[in-house]
Amino acid sequence: MLKVDQIDVYYGNIHALKGVSLDVAEGEIVTLIGSNGAGKSTLLKTLSGLLKPKKGDIQYLGASVAGKPVQDIVKAGISHVPEGRRVFANMSVEENLELGAYLRKDKQGIREDIEKVYELFPRLLERRKQLSGTLSGGEQQMLAMGRAMMARPKLLLLDEPSMGLAPLLVKAIFNIIEEINRSGTTVLLVEQNANMALSIANRAYVIETGKVVLSGTAAELQASDKIKSAYLGGH
């Protein structure tokens, strides 16, 4: 579904991604693990069109999307939930969800999808009229994910969905990621909580200082001593 081929990405003079290649097959959950500043968020921003690669190519469903405008990438079926849950604070929960469907014209379908989001996240249904700036961190994360789903993505890019959340909520968010995947959406996940990420992923890539240094099935990476000591708290 997605093939990233030897991309180089710069932030000003900083060489943030160096010849990164990876692929994601339809129906998978693939996770990227690595320490802060390794280039994981940069990669997601490049895939969603916020950054342009200097070199290399990004193929999505057989067509190049490298450097395409963000709205074209959303239209093609890629949605990005950025780090830090950027919800529109002065708008209600429901207005945020409607905004997620801004490229769509099918009123009936949009209504049905809002109901689906409320089924996935019952907490949002209780808060539908509430200003999203007044929600808790966990509720804002649910809203950011729900809003991304409103574009009916085939591929969902999730950046640090568990950041700053209580352990109980982290579990709930990961259950929902699995649910979204089961309902037919492919997921590329960036996550600091490597244990949780590997527990739901099919495959994983390890990124260090802008390069992919290791890849394999989630089970292989969970069993690797190098990964255990670097990212899984050593046990």
Side-chain angles (χ1 to χ4, degrees):
M1 182 183 230
L2 179 74
K3 191 167 177 48
V4 177
D5 188 20
Q6 294 284 326
I7 62 169
D8 277 27
V9 177
Y10 288 80
Y11 271 125
N13 296 326
I14 298 164
H15 196 173
L17 295 179
K18 303 165 187 149
V20 168
S21 294
L22 59 88
D23 56 84
V24 180
E26 194 164 337
E28 283 193 304
I29 296 179
V30 173
T31 186
L32 305 174
I33 52 183
S35 53
N36 265 335
K40 305 182 304 296
S41 295
T42 302
L43 179 58
L44 291 195
K45 285 179 183 157
T46 308
L47 296 177
S48 65
L50 294 166
L51 295 170
K52 293 183 181 8
K54 264 260 170 61
K55 275 216 323 257
D57 195 19
I58 300 162
Q59 295 265 330
Y60 168 68
L61 297 175
S64 176
V65 291
K68 286 257 166 73
V70 173
Q71 64 271 27
D72 290 4
I73 290 177
V74 173
K75 221 178 256 172
I78 299 178
S79 282
H80 181 192
V81 182
E83 191 184 344
R85 317 185 253 283
R86 303 200 183 96
V87 298
F88 297 98
N90 299 326
M91 297 170 85
S92 72
V93 165
E94 193 140 310
E95 286 167 337
N96 266 269
L97 293 177
E98 285 165 354
L99 256 183
Y102 73 101
L103 288 173
R104 293 171 54 186
K105 302 283 179 276
D106 54 322
K107 289 227 166 20
Q108 180 61 32
I110 290 171
R111 213 38 267 163
E112 285 165 12
D113 283 357
I114 287 179
E115 296 311 319
K116 270 190 211 147
V117 169
Y118 289 150
E119 276 168 39
L120 266 182
F121 303 101
R123 191 88 62 88
L124 296 182
L125 177 60
E126 294 162 24
R127 311 252 191 279
R128 62 196 291 176
K129 299 285 179 238
Q130 204 170 311
L131 289 183
S132 34
T134 64
L135 301 176
S136 71
E139 289 161 352
Q140 288 189 6
Q141 183 60 52
M142 291 172 191
L143 179 54
M145 287 165 67
R147 186 179 63 200
M149 293 307 292
M150 290 301 298
R152 287 201 174 161
K154 299 183 189 85
L155 174 63
L156 185 62
L157 310 175
L158 283 172
D159 197 354
E160 302 286 6
S162 80
M163 197 185 243
L165 301 185
L168 208 63
L169 262 177
V170 171
K171 202 156 177 38
I173 291 285
F174 274 87
N175 287 342
I176 289 162
I177 295 169
E178 287 186 290
E179 183 65 31
I180 287 170
N181 177 248
R182 272 195 297 272
S183 72
T185 304
T186 304
V187 177
L188 180 59
L189 169 69
V190 160
E191 179 53 62
Q192 283 284 302
N193 187 335
N195 276 313
M196 277 306 272
L198 290 171
S199 75
I200 68 165
N202 302 95
R203 293 186 304 112
Y205 290 87
V206 180
I207 296 191
E208 283 174 10
T209 59
K211 293 191 183 92
V212 172
V213 293
L214 204 61
S215 67
T217 67
E220 285 166 351
L221 266 63
Q222 272 173 313
S224 146
D225 290 338
K226 184 178 174 207
I227 297 302
K228 276 186 199 159
S229 60
Y231 302 108
L232 304 179
H235 43 257

